C-alpha cells in the first residue's frame, strides 16, 4: 500500500446520480471524486451497516464539500506461471489503481433543527411525524431559524456539520479517518468564510437578519452527529459530547451530538456574491 493522498470536492452539481447504477451509465457531469466517495459510503453504510440505499444520497450532498482518501493498490491481473524446473514461463502481470478507501463530508448551515432526544429518524424524518412537511426540507428552502439551545450551541450561532465519515473495512486502523478529519478541519480553518451566505443573493430577510452585521456568519463552531460507538474516536479529534442534545437514532443506529470550536481570526462580512 503506497502513501495515501486526499482529494477535495467543493459543492457541485450531482444531478442524475443514483446509487447502485454503474458509473458508465451515470451522467458524465458528475465529478469522479463524488463517485469515489459514494463507492465508499455504499460499501460501509449500505452494505455493512444496512442503511437503506435510497437514504444514503441526500439533498445535502450537492451543497457539501467531500474529501476522499486514496491508496495505491497493486492487483495481480494474471498470475505468474512456472514450469516443473521452477523457471518462470509467464511473468505475473499486475496493475496499480488509486483506490478510494475513505471519505467524509462537510455540510454548511442552515441545518434541520437538532434531533429530538430519544427520536427515531429514518432518512431525516422523525418516526410518528411523517406528515410534517418541514421535516427533511430541501436545504434551499430552509430558513435561518432559531433552534433549541443545547450544551454547546445557543440555538442561534451558525455551525458546520461534519458527517458520513467512513473507511472501508480492510483499510481501518491506519489512521485514515483521522487524516480525513484533520484535513477537513485544516481546510475550513484556512477558508472560514467559504460557507457564509451572500447577502446580495439571499437577502437579509431569508437570513433572519435586519442588518448586515446580524447576517449569519460562521464563527468556528462544528457539530457532528456521531454514531455512539465512534464517539471516542471523535473525542480524540477534539469533539466533545453535547449532553443537552441527548441521544437519538438515525437509520436504527444510536447517535450523540458532539461539538468542536475552532479558533478563527476576525472575518470580513461577505456582502458581494
Ligand atoms: C469509524 C471509522 C471511520 C474509523 O476509521 P479508521 O481509519 O479505522 O480510524 P483511525 O485509524 O483514524 O482511528 C482513529 C482513532 O479512533 C479509534 N477508533 C477507530 N474506530 C473506532 C471505533 N469504531 N470505536 C472507537 N474508537 C475507534 C482508533 O483506535 C484510533 O485511536 P488511536 O489514534 O488512539 O489509535 C471506521 O471504523 C468506519 O468506517 N466505521 C463504520 C462507519 C462509521 O461508524 N462511521 C462513523 C460515523 S460517525
Amino acid at each position: 500500500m503506497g502513501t495515501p493522498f486526499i482529494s477535495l470536492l467543493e459543492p457541485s452539481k450531482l444531478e442524475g446520480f443514483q446509487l447502485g447504477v454503474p458509473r458508465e451509465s451515470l451522467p458524465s457531469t458528475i465529478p469522479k471524486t463524488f463517485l469515489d466517495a459514494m463507492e465508499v459510503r455504499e460499501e460501509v453504510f449500505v452494505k455493512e451497516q444496512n442503511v437503506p440505499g435510497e437514504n444514503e444520497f441526500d439533498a445535502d450532498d450537492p451543497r457539501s464539500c467531500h474529501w476522499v482518501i486514496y491508496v495505491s493498490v497493486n492487483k495481480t491481473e494474471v498470475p505468474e506461471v512456472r514450469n516443473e524446473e521452477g523457471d518462470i514461463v509467464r511473468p505475473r502481470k499486475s496493475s496499480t489503481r488509486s483506490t478510494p478507501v475513505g471519505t467524509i463530508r462537510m455540510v454548511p448551515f442552515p441545518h434541520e433543527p437538532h434531533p429530538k432526544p430519544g427520536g427515531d429518524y429514518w432518512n431525516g424524518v422523525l418516526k410518528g411525524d411523517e406528515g410534517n412537511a418541514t421535516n427533511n426540507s430541501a436545504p434551499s428552502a430552509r430558513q435561518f431559524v432559531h433552534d433549541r439551545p443545547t450544551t454547546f450551541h445557543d440555538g442561534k450561532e451558525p455551525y458546520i456539520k461534519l458527517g458520513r465519515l467512513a473507511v472501508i473495512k480492510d483499510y481501518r486502523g491506519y489512521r485514515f479517518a483521522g487524516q480525513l478529519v484533520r484535513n477537513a478541519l485544516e481546510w475550513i480553518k484556512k477558508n472560514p468564510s467559504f460557507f457564509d451566505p451572500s447577502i446580495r443573493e439571499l437577502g437579509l430577510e431569508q437570513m433572519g437578519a435586519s442588518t448586515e452585521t446580524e447576517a449569519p456568519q460562521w464563527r468556528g463552531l462544528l457539530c457532528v452527529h456521531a454514531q455512539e460507538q465512534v464517539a471516542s474516536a471523535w473525542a480524540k479529534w477534539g469533539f466533545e459530547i453535547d449532553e443537552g442534545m441527548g441521544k437519538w437514532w438515525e437509520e436504527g443506529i444510536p447517535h450523540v451530538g458532539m461539538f468542536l470550536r475552532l479558533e478563527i481570526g476576525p472575518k470580513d462580512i461577505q456582502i458581494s456574491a
Side-chain angles (χ1 to χ4, degrees):
M1 198 161 57
T3 314
F5 68 94
I6 294 179
S7 277
L8 159 64
L9 174 71
E10 292 185 2
S12 41
K13 285 204 163 69
L14 305 173
E15 271 132 40
F17 178 80
Q18 259 185 293
L19 201 74
V21 171
R23 283 177 185 233
E24 38 310 343
S25 312
L26 289 168
S28 57
T29 45
I30 301 175
K32 179 184 173 298
T33 310
F34 185 72
L35 299 178
D36 293 339
M38 291 311 287
E39 186 177 310
V40 174
R41 280 163 53 176
E42 183 176 18
E43 191 59 37
V44 173
F45 295 119
V46 180
K47 295 192 182 149
E48 187 188 330
Q49 297 195 325
N50 298 319
V51 171
E54 62 274 21
N55 297 2
E56 189 42 42
F57 172 60
D58 68 12
D60 279 330
D61 277 317
R63 68 187 193 119
S64 296
C65 285
H66 301 263
W67 285 261
V68 177
I69 188 162
Y70 297 85
V71 291
S72 294
V73 176
N74 195 272
K75 195 173 149 216
T76 302
E77 303 286 356
V78 183
E80 172 186 278
V81 177
R82 290 176 186 256
N83 62 17
E84 281 172 10
E85 285 77 43
D87 300 324
I88 297 170
V89 291
R90 193 185 65 195
R92 182 178 87 102
K93 273 198 197 148
S94 64
S95 67
T96 303
R97 183 195 170 213
S98 288
T99 308
V101 296
T103 189
I104 193 169
R105 79 175 181 185
M106 184 177 270
V107 190
F109 45 92
H111 304 282
E112 286 291 313
H114 295 311
K116 286 208 173 95
D120 186 6
Y121 290 80
W122 291 86
N123 201 18
V125 179
L126 181 62
K127 228 172 155 184
D129 202 16
E130 289 85 354
N132 186 343
T134 60
N135 267 340
N136 201 25
S137 57
S140 55
R142 275 183 216 153
Q143 300 281 331
F144 288 84
V145 287
H146 288 180
D147 205 343
R148 71 180 166 97
T150 67
T151 309
F152 295 117
H153 184 223
D154 62 5
K156 295 179 220 147
E157 183 178 342
Y159 64 90
I160 285 172
K161 220 168 113 183
L162 279 180
R164 298 292 207 273
L165 172 65
V167 171
I168 304 257
K169 213 171 196 170
D170 287 350
Y171 295 92
R172 292 186 189 149
Y174 294 101
R175 309 260 159 86
F176 290 154
Q179 284 189 52
L180 283 164
V181 172
R182 280 192 197 97
N183 221 272
L185 295 179
E186 274 162 30
W187 180 85
I188 193 64
K189 238 184 136 167
K190 281 193 203 129
N191 301 278
S193 302
F194 187 83
F195 290 124
D196 288 346
S198 151
I199 297 173
R200 189 171 291 164
E201 264 178 29
L202 274 188
L204 286 169
E205 203 182 331
Q206 200 186 332
M207 293 181 184
S210 50
T211 64
E212 279 168 13
T213 43
E214 278 178 18
Q217 272 204 72
W218 188 62
R219 300 208 302 270
L221 193 62
L222 288 134
C223 177
V224 57
H225 289 183
Q227 292 192 12
E228 199 178 25
Q229 44 111 8
V230 189
S232 58
W234 284 104
K236 281 181 185 146
W237 302 318
F239 286 77
E240 262 186 273
I241 290 192
D242 186 305
E243 299 294 344
M245 264 176 93
K247 178 170 152 183
W248 68 94
W249 281 258
E250 289 179 22
E251 268 62 41
I253 302 170
H255 279 72
V256 291
M258 299 178 83
F259 278 93
L260 166 71
R261 181 172 292 284
L262 288 179
E263 287 309 320
I264 55 167
K267 295 196 300 184
D268 294 332
I269 297 175
Q270 300 284 294
I271 295 176
S272 57

